[in-house]
């Protein structure tokens, strides 16, 4: 019996030289967003996951200041768009088990037909997300030719 492998499709790889570049990439994501999309932001601490969330919010003219919901786990932002009315922004860094996600009603947010979800530190939740997942992996590059502290490689794939 042959094992069925999950296909990963790399949609785009982007090199960012600044916060502004990262926000432009986030605009690309937001421009193509559909209701129920789940954007999973992966990368080390301080690499720019929240910058991507801010860029998505900026595209949708979110008036609130977007910050990482590290201690609250979730922040909700209202959006004035034809199909997308809310952005749910999760930070799962402090979540230790899937049971904790069930206790906060995590899955219910993901199936809101009028919203998109952005999840920082999504690794613990990947197995329970049934939506089409858009994974954004951000890594800080140490390029001695670049001389930029903000040099990042951003890879976007769908699962």
């Amino acid at each position: 019996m042959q094992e069925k492998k999950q296909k990963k499709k790399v949609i785009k790889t982007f090199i960012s030289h600044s916060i502004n570049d990262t926000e432009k990439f986030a605009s690309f994501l937001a421009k193509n967003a559909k209701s129920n999309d789940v954007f999973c932001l992966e990368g080390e601490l301080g690499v720019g996951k929240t910058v991507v969330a801010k860029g998505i919010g900026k595209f949708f003219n979110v008036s609130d200041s977007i910050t990482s919901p590290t201690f609250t786990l979730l922040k909700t932002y209202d959006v004035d768009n034809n199909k997308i009315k809310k952005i749910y922004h999760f930070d799962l860094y402090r979540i230790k088990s899937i049971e904790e996600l069930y206790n906060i009603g995590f899955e219910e947010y993901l199936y809101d037909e009028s919203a998109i979800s952005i999840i920082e530190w999504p690794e613990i939740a990947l197995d329970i997300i049934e939506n089409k997942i858009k994974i954004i992996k951000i890594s800080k590059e140490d390029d001695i030719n670049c001389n930029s502290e903000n040099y990042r490689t951003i890879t976007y794939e769908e699962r």
Side-chain angles (χ1 to χ4, degrees):
M1 180 188 266
Q2 193 173 12
E3 220 177 282
K4 192 175 184 180
K5 292 186 178 181
Q6 187 178 28
K7 291 182 182 180
K8 290 183 186 178
K9 183 178 179 187
V10 174
I11 305 297
K12 187 171 181 81
T13 298
F14 182 77
I15 303 298
S16 173
H17 297 280
S18 66
I19 289 172
N20 207 18
D21 284 351
T22 302
E23 285 183 346
K24 285 179 188 174
F25 179 78
S27 289
F28 159 79
L29 296 174
K31 180 179 162 184
N32 295 293
K34 296 172 186 67
S35 61
N36 278 124
D37 276 352
V38 179
F39 296 94
C40 296
L41 309 179
E42 297 181 354
E44 297 297 319
L45 192 62
V47 81
K49 295 179 293 295
T50 304
V51 172
V52 172
K54 285 179 182 184
I56 291 171
K58 188 176 181 179
F59 178 87
F60 286 114
N61 297 312
V62 170
S63 58
D64 296 332
S65 176
I66 293 180
T67 58
S68 185
T70 304
F71 296 103
T72 59
L73 301 177
L74 168 66
K75 288 188 179 179
T76 302
Y77 302 100
D78 292 322
V79 175
D80 187 18
N81 183 277
N82 289 336
K83 294 183 181 179
I84 298 168
K85 302 294 181 194
K86 292 195 179 297
I87 296 174
Y88 297 122
H89 182 194
F90 294 90
D91 184 323
L92 303 183
Y93 184 76
R94 299 185 183 289
I95 296 292
K96 301 294 182 223
S97 71
I98 289 177
E99 287 76 28
E100 287 180 69
L101 292 176
Y102 290 131
N103 289 340
I104 64 167
F106 177 74
E107 289 179 296
E108 293 172 33
Y109 292 101
L110 301 181
Y111 299 108
D112 182 340
E113 292 290 331
S114 66
I116 61 171
S117 297
I118 301 170
I119 306 172
E120 296 186 38
W121 304 99
E123 292 78 6
I124 197 163
L126 291 176
D127 288 339
I128 64 170
I129 301 172
E130 295 178 9
N131 307 45
K132 193 171 197 179
I133 303 173
K134 297 167 185 320
I135 297 192
I136 296 89
K137 293 181 182 180
I138 309 168
S139 59
K140 186 173 182 177
E141 302 297 328
D142 295 324
D143 186 342
I144 56 175
N145 298 320
C146 180
N147 293 328
S148 173
E149 185 177 302
N150 294 312
Y151 188 81
R152 306 285 193 267
T153 299
I154 304 171
T155 305
Y156 170 69
E157 49 182 67
E158 290 183 3
R159 291 188 188 170

Short mmCIF file of all heavy atoms in Angstrom, two decimals, residues 99-119:
data_model
loop_
_atom_site.label_atom_id
_atom_site.label_comp_id
_atom_site.label_asym_id
_atom_site.label_seq_id
_atom_site.Cartn_x
_atom_site.Cartn_y
_atom_site.Cartn_z
N GLU A 99 -6.09 20.64 23.71
CA GLU A 99 -7.24 20.80 24.59
C GLU A 99 -7.45 22.27 24.95
O GLU A 99 -8.59 22.74 25.04
CB GLU A 99 -7.07 19.97 25.87
CG GLU A 99 -7.24 18.48 25.68
CD GLU A 99 -6.02 17.83 24.99
OE1 GLU A 99 -4.88 18.34 25.13
OE2 GLU A 99 -6.22 16.81 24.31
N GLU A 100 -6.38 23.02 25.14
CA GLU A 100 -6.50 24.45 25.42
C GLU A 100 -7.17 25.17 24.26
O GLU A 100 -7.98 26.08 24.47
CB GLU A 100 -5.13 25.07 25.68
CG GLU A 100 -4.51 24.71 27.01
CD GLU A 100 -3.16 25.38 27.19
OE1 GLU A 100 -3.12 26.62 27.34
OE2 GLU A 100 -2.13 24.65 27.17
N LEU A 101 -6.85 24.75 23.04
CA LEU A 101 -7.47 25.37 21.86
C LEU A 101 -8.97 25.07 21.83
O LEU A 101 -9.78 25.95 21.54
CB LEU A 101 -6.81 24.86 20.58
CG LEU A 101 -5.38 25.31 20.34
CD1 LEU A 101 -4.82 24.66 19.09
CD2 LEU A 101 -5.30 26.83 20.23
N TYR A 102 -9.33 23.83 22.11
CA TYR A 102 -10.75 23.47 22.15
C TYR A 102 -11.48 24.27 23.23
O TYR A 102 -12.61 24.71 23.02
CB TYR A 102 -10.94 21.97 22.41
CG TYR A 102 -10.52 21.10 21.24
CD1 TYR A 102 -9.69 20.00 21.44
CD2 TYR A 102 -10.95 21.36 19.96
CE1 TYR A 102 -9.31 19.19 20.38
CE2 TYR A 102 -10.58 20.56 18.89
CZ TYR A 102 -9.75 19.48 19.10
OH TYR A 102 -9.37 18.68 18.06
N ASN A 103 -10.84 24.49 24.37
CA ASN A 103 -11.46 25.22 25.47
C ASN A 103 -11.76 26.68 25.14
O ASN A 103 -12.70 27.26 25.68
CB ASN A 103 -10.59 25.16 26.73
CG ASN A 103 -10.58 23.79 27.36
OD1 ASN A 103 -11.47 22.97 27.12
ND2 ASN A 103 -9.57 23.51 28.17
N ILE A 104 -10.97 27.28 24.25
CA ILE A 104 -11.23 28.68 23.88
C ILE A 104 -12.12 28.79 22.64
O ILE A 104 -12.39 29.89 22.17
CB ILE A 104 -9.93 29.49 23.67
CG1 ILE A 104 -9.12 28.96 22.49
CG2 ILE A 104 -9.11 29.54 24.95
CD1 ILE A 104 -7.99 29.87 22.03
N GLY A 105 -12.58 27.65 22.11
CA GLY A 105 -13.45 27.67 20.94
C GLY A 105 -12.71 28.03 19.66
O GLY A 105 -13.29 28.58 18.73
N PHE A 106 -11.45 27.67 19.58
CA PHE A 106 -10.57 28.01 18.47
C PHE A 106 -11.18 27.69 17.10
O PHE A 106 -11.21 28.53 16.21
CB PHE A 106 -9.24 27.27 18.65
CG PHE A 106 -8.25 27.45 17.55
CD1 PHE A 106 -7.57 28.65 17.42
CD2 PHE A 106 -7.98 26.42 16.66
CE1 PHE A 106 -6.63 28.82 16.40
CE2 PHE A 106 -7.05 26.59 15.65
CZ PHE A 106 -6.37 27.78 15.52
N GLU A 107 -11.71 26.48 16.95
CA GLU A 107 -12.24 26.06 15.65
C GLU A 107 -13.42 26.90 15.19
O GLU A 107 -13.59 27.12 13.99
CB GLU A 107 -12.63 24.58 15.69
CG GLU A 107 -11.43 23.66 15.77
CD GLU A 107 -11.87 22.22 15.82
OE1 GLU A 107 -12.53 21.84 16.81
OE2 GLU A 107 -11.55 21.49 14.87
N GLU A 108 -14.23 27.36 16.11
CA GLU A 108 -15.39 28.17 15.75
C GLU A 108 -14.97 29.45 15.01
O GLU A 108 -15.65 29.88 14.09
CB GLU A 108 -16.21 28.51 16.99
CG GLU A 108 -16.86 27.29 17.60
CD GLU A 108 -17.51 27.60 18.93
OE1 GLU A 108 -18.01 28.74 19.11
OE2 GLU A 108 -17.52 26.70 19.79
N TYR A 109 -13.88 30.05 15.42
CA TYR A 109 -13.39 31.25 14.76
C TYR A 109 -12.97 30.95 13.32
O TYR A 109 -13.19 31.75 12.43
CB TYR A 109 -12.20 31.85 15.52
CG TYR A 109 -12.56 32.41 16.86
CD1 TYR A 109 -12.31 31.70 18.03
CD2 TYR A 109 -13.15 33.67 16.96
CE1 TYR A 109 -12.64 32.23 19.26
CE2 TYR A 109 -13.48 34.20 18.20
CZ TYR A 109 -13.22 33.48 19.35
OH TYR A 109 -13.54 34.00 20.57
N LEU A 110 -12.37 29.80 13.12
CA LEU A 110 -11.84 29.45 11.80
C LEU A 110 -12.93 29.28 10.75
O LEU A 110 -12.67 29.39 9.56
CB LEU A 110 -11.01 28.18 11.87
CG LEU A 110 -9.81 28.21 12.81
CD1 LEU A 110 -9.08 26.87 12.76
CD2 LEU A 110 -8.86 29.34 12.48
N TYR A 111 -14.15 28.97 11.19
CA TYR A 111 -15.22 28.70 10.24
C TYR A 111 -16.20 29.86 10.11
O TYR A 111 -17.26 29.70 9.52
CB TYR A 111 -15.92 27.39 10.60
CG TYR A 111 -14.92 26.26 10.54
CD1 TYR A 111 -14.47 25.64 11.70
CD2 TYR A 111 -14.37 25.87 9.33
CE1 TYR A 111 -13.51 24.65 11.65
CE2 TYR A 111 -13.42 24.88 9.27
CZ TYR A 111 -12.99 24.27 10.44
OH TYR A 111 -12.03 23.29 10.38
N ASP A 112 -15.82 31.01 10.59
CA ASP A 112 -16.63 32.21 10.42
C ASP A 112 -16.56 32.60 8.94
O ASP A 112 -15.50 32.96 8.43
CB ASP A 112 -16.11 33.34 11.32
CG ASP A 112 -16.94 34.60 11.23
OD1 ASP A 112 -17.68 34.80 10.24
OD2 ASP A 112 -16.81 35.43 12.15
N GLU A 113 -17.67 32.51 8.25
CA GLU A 113 -17.73 32.76 6.80
C GLU A 113 -17.41 34.21 6.42
O GLU A 113 -17.21 34.50 5.25
CB GLU A 113 -19.12 32.39 6.27
CG GLU A 113 -19.41 30.91 6.29
CD GLU A 113 -18.59 30.11 5.29
OE1 GLU A 113 -18.22 30.65 4.23
OE2 GLU A 113 -18.31 28.94 5.58
N SER A 114 -17.37 35.10 7.39
CA SER A 114 -17.12 36.50 7.08
C SER A 114 -15.75 36.96 7.56
O SER A 114 -15.50 38.16 7.67
CB SER A 114 -18.21 37.38 7.69
OG SER A 114 -18.14 37.31 9.11
N ALA A 115 -14.86 36.01 7.85
CA ALA A 115 -13.58 36.38 8.46
C ALA A 115 -12.41 35.63 7.84
O ALA A 115 -12.57 34.61 7.17
CB ALA A 115 -13.63 36.07 9.96
N ILE A 116 -11.23 36.18 8.08
CA ILE A 116 -9.98 35.47 7.84
C ILE A 116 -9.28 35.35 9.19
O ILE A 116 -9.56 36.13 10.10
CB ILE A 116 -9.06 36.18 6.81
CG1 ILE A 116 -8.65 37.57 7.26
CG2 ILE A 116 -9.71 36.20 5.43
CD1 ILE A 116 -7.57 38.22 6.40
N SER A 117 -8.40 34.38 9.30
CA SER A 117 -7.64 34.19 10.53
C SER A 117 -6.16 34.30 10.24
O SER A 117 -5.67 33.81 9.22
CB SER A 117 -7.93 32.82 11.14
OG SER A 117 -9.29 32.72 11.50
N ILE A 118 -5.46 34.93 11.16
CA ILE A 118 -4.00 35.02 11.11
C ILE A 118 -3.52 34.37 12.40
O ILE A 118 -3.95 34.74 13.49
CB ILE A 118 -3.52 36.48 11.05
CG1 ILE A 118 -4.09 37.19 9.83
CG2 ILE A 118 -2.00 36.54 11.09
CD1 ILE A 118 -3.87 38.70 9.83
N ILE A 119 -2.63 33.39 12.27
CA ILE A 119 -2.17 32.66 13.45
C ILE A 119 -0.65 32.74 13.53
O ILE A 119 0.06 32.24 12.66
CB ILE A 119 -2.60 31.18 13.41
CG1 ILE A 119 -4.11 31.07 13.21
CG2 ILE A 119 -2.15 30.47 14.68
CD1 ILE A 119 -4.60 29.66 12.97
#
